[in-house]
Amino acid sequence: AQAVLAAGLPALERSLLPRAEWIAIAIDWMKGRAALAHSQAGRRPGAVKDALAAAKRIERRRRPWGDALATSLRAGAAALGGLPRETLRLLETAEQQANDAELHLHALAASLLRLRLLNADPTEVQARAAALGVARLDKMSRVYLPGFG
């Protein structure tokens, strides 16, 4: 993912597309997720800082749906940093923000990860995801919220 981003982002960022706020937020979310995935894989342990910087850029835009994405990046960074209480708090916040912004799949992904950290039964969350057409919420969660083993 990082190689694809490195190859394509310079041209995308020179274009006019990032002037559209939702595209700029999506780009930062993509950058943050790639950084967390790289850090999790041990390729770039310092990449967590890049993910946190992406979260900060998203938060500056003050969009409810963007806040959910930024909080999920922060949760992944906390998980990679070995901060379980902070991770749980951020996952709960991300879940609520995502539900408020009607990002239901994102909320379900955060809920699944939170329940796993609590060693709680995720059956109900997985059933809700299945009702939305997601057969493997665990796989989707790895894409939406990297940083969780």
Side-chain angles (χ1 to χ4, degrees):
Q2 194 71 30
V4 171
L5 279 175
L9 272 179
L12 178 62
E13 289 174 332
R14 283 190 307 272
S15 75
L16 296 177
L17 289 173
R19 291 187 184 180
E21 187 170 56
W22 72 270
I23 292 175
I25 290 172
I27 288 170
D28 279 325
W29 185 47
M30 187 172 28
K31 286 179 180 179
R33 288 182 299 135
L36 290 173
H38 255 218
S39 184
Q40 182 178 359
R43 294 187 187 122
R44 279 186 52 220
V48 169
K49 286 189 219 173
D50 295 339
L52 292 172
K56 191 172 193 172
R57 287 190 302 272
I58 293 169
E59 289 164 344
R60 278 196 296 251
R61 293 185 177 277
R62 299 177 189 255
R63 294 289 173 249
W65 63 275
D67 290 344
L69 304 180
T71 302
S72 67
L73 292 175
R74 292 187 180 284
L80 289 171
L83 303 168
R85 280 188 234 179
E86 181 70 0
T87 302
L88 284 169
R89 184 188 70 75
L90 289 165
L91 282 172
E92 187 173 353
T93 301
E95 181 182 351
Q96 184 62 52
Q97 289 172 325
N99 273 322
D100 290 348
E102 299 185 15
L103 299 175
H104 301 297
L105 291 178
H106 197 91
L108 290 171
S111 181
L112 175 69
L113 294 173
R114 184 178 54 78
L115 291 172
R116 282 190 175 163
L117 289 174
L118 294 169
N119 292 316
D121 183 15
T123 303
E124 186 260 331
V125 169
Q126 290 169 329
R128 287 174 37 213
L132 294 173
V134 177
R136 296 293 308 271
L137 183 60
D138 57 326
K139 287 188 175 193
M140 193 193 83
S141 295
R142 285 195 295 264
V143 173
Y144 273 39
L145 292 103
F148 298 87

